[in-house]
Amino acid sequence: MSSPSTRARGRPARLDRPGTVETALRLLDESGLDALTMRRLADALGVQAGALYRHFATKQELLTAMAERMLAGVPAAAGDGPGEGAARDWSEQLADLARDLRTALLARRDGARVFAGTHSTGVNTLGFAEAVTGVLREAGFGDEGAARALMTVAGFTVGHTLEEQAAVQPGNEDSADPERLRRAVASGSFPHLTASLPTLTSTDFTGHFEFGLRLLVQGLRAVEQEQEQP
Amino acid sequence: MSSPSTRARGRPARLDRPGTVETALRLLDESGLDALTMRRLADALGVQAGALYRHFATKQELLTAMAERMLAGVPAAAGDGPGEGAARDWSEQLADLARDLRTALLARRDGARVFAGTHSTGVNTLGFAEAVTGVLREAGFGDEGAARALMTVAGFTVGHTLEEQAAVQPGNEDSADPERLRRAVASGSFPHLTASLPTLTSTDFTGHFEFGLRLLVQGLRAVEQEQEQP
DNA sequence: ACCTGAACACCGTTCAAGT
DNA sequence: ACCTGAACACCGTTCAAGT
């Protein structure tokens, strides 16, 4: 019973999952998602590309682990309780959770694209979902309403951040390009779009996000009574 | 002045943009986005891959043209007026526009993924945006509120349909996989998620979509007075 | 047990040359 | 003017062989 640890006697492994994910996230920040290839990651780790497949079955599995890692600390920040004052309103807690998710995705280059392309079932991701449904169920929403509200809020937040990062990054093959939009709107007959164009091309993404968030929270307030459990 | 048309005397071109986009959309339906390569598309058109670059500068430009084509008819369907009865409420018109967008994206395999990865400024896409902002501005919303509501509704609809198509397609490398989610939730301590799990793993996507849409519409109704122009 | 070396079956894109 | 042929510089993934 000399506790032979999880690694048998022999050369220590040069690769492990946490270290590989950390290096992958660093490469993501440096060069973006399109430049994150298994070969380049292997290079950065001083290893051959094939060696990565001993730790991740596919590139998709690596991306899922990266998405999960990006959410570290998000659920904890929201569960920090009411502090010294009174317990916060459910709508403020919900809005803060959405803000924390957006912040976590914005913290890494192409963070929303990585997250949107995966479906992590790790503790960070499930912890976030647990926190959101918890706030809503404890506020009186039913199981179904809480689940659907989670999906709506998460979908909105990821969708918004996807657009935000696409617009902000200058070299992202896509590029929202406000100039092209302006020319296209001017070249056709779109009176309503013309009037709203300054807002549509504005870079006040926090303002846009808060507007959508308020819509969702106010919408939830409006259906609160129907959702309440007697 | 014998109107020499846009094509000079010579062999007729074998490729043109509309035909190429149509074939690309057929391939998309048959094999999905991951299998839609420039080489396979060229094969289907009986041409070498390099020939495609005389009509589309990049694959991204082709995908943008495909996204634009997918929205054909969507703005027209919404602008069909009140018919014989009274004019419909702005909220019903807005909800119908969002439903039409979802339907158009669902009509093609990976439609939401194609649409989310592009930023078309063609008449179909701008026509849809014009219809949404038009409904809102004529209902009394300001230019800024109408623009932000458009972004929120479009972002929600695309985000929802992205998840819906990822869950529905069985061979899509990603796969939402309800079984894996069930196991992960059961293996940790997530009481609220456990309660909401039946809804989270349900395939009533229309129900989920209508819930989110109602939230947004009710939210807009709640902020209607602040947004109204005096 | 873990990694190397090398291959397999592809990609998007470019460009001289043909017609 | 439009397309072919062929190349360039890559991909993700697999797997026998080494240590």
Side-chain angles (χ1 to χ4, degrees):
Chain A
M1 270 212 215
S2 57
S3 84
S5 103
T6 177
R7 171 161 309 291
R9 200 170 327 284
R11 264 183 306 290
R14 281 191 268 159
L15 254 44
D16 59 353
R17 284 180 64 103
T20 303
V21 168
E22 219 58 46
T23 302
L25 286 169
R26 185 170 54 73
L27 277 187
L28 182 70
D29 274 342
E30 286 171 10
S31 319
L33 181 56
D34 292 333
L36 180 73
T37 69
M38 296 301 263
R39 287 160 194 264
R40 278 209 248 243
L41 175 57
D43 263 14
L45 291 161
V47 108
Q48 295 292 315
L52 292 171
Y53 290 84
R54 212 147 284 277
H55 302 271
F56 301 91
T58 60
K59 184 180 184 181
Q60 184 66 30
E61 193 178 305
L62 169 70
L63 289 167
T64 301
M66 291 168 66
E68 168 68 12
R69 183 75 183 79
M70 291 193 307
L71 258 57
V74 170
D80 59 359
E84 54 191 60
R88 288 174 307 157
D89 190 48
W90 63 264
S91 64
E92 259 315 301
Q93 294 181 260
L94 177 67
D96 274 349
L97 281 163
R99 290 181 190 115
D100 289 344
L101 177 57
R102 171 169 173 256
T103 301
L105 299 182
L106 284 179
R108 325 232 50 145
R109 166 121 80 132
D110 291 331
R113 244 167 97 202
V114 171
F115 192 82
T118 58
H119 284 289
S120 170
T121 54
V123 283
N124 295 332
T125 305
L126 291 191
F128 175 80
E130 172 74 6
V132 171
T133 46
V135 164
L136 291 166
R137 290 182 73 242
E138 278 163 14
F141 286 87
D143 301 342
E144 180 174 316
R148 286 182 162 166
L150 161 65
M151 293 189 282
T152 306
V153 170
F156 161 71
T157 302
V158 175
H160 166 90
T161 313
L162 219 40
E163 291 300 310
E164 176 168 354
Q165 287 183 321
V168 152
Q169 310 269 6
N172 244 1
E173 91 287 350
D174 192 14
S175 96
D177 197 352
E179 213 43 62
R180 200 163 44 92
L181 179 60
R182 247 185 287 269
R183 270 196 305 274
V185 168
S187 75
S189 63
F190 304 106
H192 297 295
L193 276 187
T194 303
S196 292
L197 198 57
T199 303
L200 290 171
T201 57
S202 120
T203 54
D204 178 17
F205 294 104
T206 300
H208 299 163
F209 180 70
E210 291 293 333
F211 178 91
L213 205 49
R214 194 150 58 88
L215 248 47
L216 291 176
V217 167
Q218 296 280 62
L220 279 169
R221 221 188 276 292
V223 302
E224 200 175 4
Q225 52 275 41
E226 336 167 19
Q227 294 290 328
E228 262 165 19
Q229 314 266 53
Chain B
M1 270 216 216
S2 56
S3 84
S5 103
T6 178
R7 171 163 310 289
R9 200 170 326 283
R11 262 182 308 289
R14 281 191 267 160
L15 254 43
D16 58 352
R17 284 181 64 103
T20 303
V21 168
E22 218 60 43
T23 302
L25 286 170
R26 185 169 55 73
L27 277 187
L28 181 70
D29 274 342
E30 286 171 11
S31 319
L33 181 56
D34 293 333
L36 181 72
T37 67
M38 296 301 263
R39 286 161 196 265
R40 278 210 248 244
L41 175 56
D43 263 13
L45 291 162
V47 108
Q48 296 292 315
L52 293 170
Y53 290 84
R54 211 147 286 275
H55 302 271
F56 301 92
T58 61
K59 185 180 183 180
Q60 185 65 31
E61 192 178 307
L62 168 69
L63 289 167
T64 301
M66 291 167 67
E68 168 70 10
R69 182 75 183 78
M70 291 194 306
L71 257 58
V74 171
D80 60 357
E84 55 192 56
R88 288 174 307 156
D89 189 48
W90 63 264
S91 64
E92 260 314 302
Q93 294 181 260
L94 177 67
D96 274 350
L97 280 162
R99 290 182 190 116
D100 289 344
L101 177 57
R102 170 169 174 257
T103 301
L105 299 182
L106 284 178
R108 325 233 51 145
R109 166 121 79 132
D110 293 330
R113 245 167 96 204
V114 171
F115 192 81
T118 58
H119 284 289
S120 169
T121 54
V123 284
N124 295 333
T125 305
L126 292 190
F128 175 80
E130 170 75 6
V132 172
T133 45
V135 164
L136 291 166
R137 289 183 72 242
E138 278 164 11
F141 287 87
D143 300 342
E144 181 174 314
R148 286 182 163 166
L150 162 64
M151 293 189 281
T152 306
V153 170
F156 161 72
T157 302
V158 174
H160 165 90
T161 312
L162 219 39
E163 291 301 310
E164 176 167 355
Q165 287 184 322
V168 151
Q169 310 270 4
N172 244 1
E173 91 286 348
D174 192 14
S175 96
D177 197 352
E179 214 43 63
R180 199 163 44 91
L181 179 60
R182 248 185 287 269
R183 271 196 306 274
V185 168
S187 77
S189 64
F190 305 105
H192 297 296
L193 275 186
T194 303
S196 292
L197 199 56
T199 303
L200 290 171
T201 56
S202 119
T203 53
D204 178 17
F205 294 104
T206 301
H208 298 163
F209 180 70
E210 292 294 333
F211 179 92
L213 205 49
R214 194 149 58 88
L215 249 46
L216 291 176
V217 166
Q218 295 281 62
L220 279 169
R221 220 188 277 293
V223 302
E224 201 176 2
Q225 52 274 40
E226 336 167 18
Q227 293 291 328
E228 261 166 17
Q229 314 266 52

